[in-house]
């Protein structure tokens, strides 16, 4: 079973490198945002595989945190692309 985990880690690491290339090189901002979201998913996968290799459930909270941060980052970038600002400040207060 260890071989399967090693292969999974290698594949996820290669995918992570490809997504990093897309973040740096990406022709549009939308491509970069999608690559950042995919990096979050790959990181969660890597942590999940490491959790199985180490036979512990301690890392499950980290997976949840990575998922939440990836989601919030994607939503913030989408709002920035749509409106030009992430946090709207109303000057009437």
């Amino acid at each position: 079973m260890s071989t399967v985990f090693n292969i999974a880690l290698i594949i996820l690491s290669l995918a992570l490198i490809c997504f990093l290339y897309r973040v740096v090189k990406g022709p549009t901002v939308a491509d970069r945002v999608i690559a950042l979201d995919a990096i979050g998913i790959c990181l969660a996968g890597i942590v999940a595989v490491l959790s199985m290799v180490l036979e512990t459930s301690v890392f499950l909270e980290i997976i949840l945190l990575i998922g939440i941060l990836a989601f919030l980052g994607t939503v913030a970038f989408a709002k920035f692309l749509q409106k030009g600002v992430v946090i709207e400040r109303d000057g009437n207060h």
Side-chain angles (χ1 to χ4, degrees):
M1 203 57 146
S2 176
T3 307
V4 174
F5 291 142
N6 288 335
I7 292 171
L9 285 174
I10 290 170
I11 290 172
L12 285 169
S13 299
L14 291 174
L16 191 67
I17 291 170
C18 292
F19 292 135
L20 282 173
Y21 173 78
R22 181 54 53 200
V23 167
V24 172
K25 198 74 169 157
T28 65
V29 177
D31 289 331
R32 290 182 171 113
V33 171
I34 292 171
L36 283 173
D37 192 38
I39 286 173
I41 293 169
C42 275
L43 284 176
I46 288 172
V47 172
V49 172
L50 286 175
S51 177
M52 288 186 281
V53 167
L54 298 175
E55 296 178 359
T56 182
S57 62
V58 175
F59 298 126
L60 297 180
E61 290 87 9
I62 295 172
I63 295 169
L64 186 63
L65 180 66
I66 290 171
I68 291 169
L69 289 175
F71 172 74
L72 289 176
T74 302
V75 169
F77 273 122
K79 188 172 180 183
F80 177 75
L81 289 176
Q82 183 181 14
K83 295 186 178 183
V85 294
V86 176
I87 300 173
E88 297 175 17
R89 299 184 187 265
D90 192 13
N92 294 334
H93 290 113

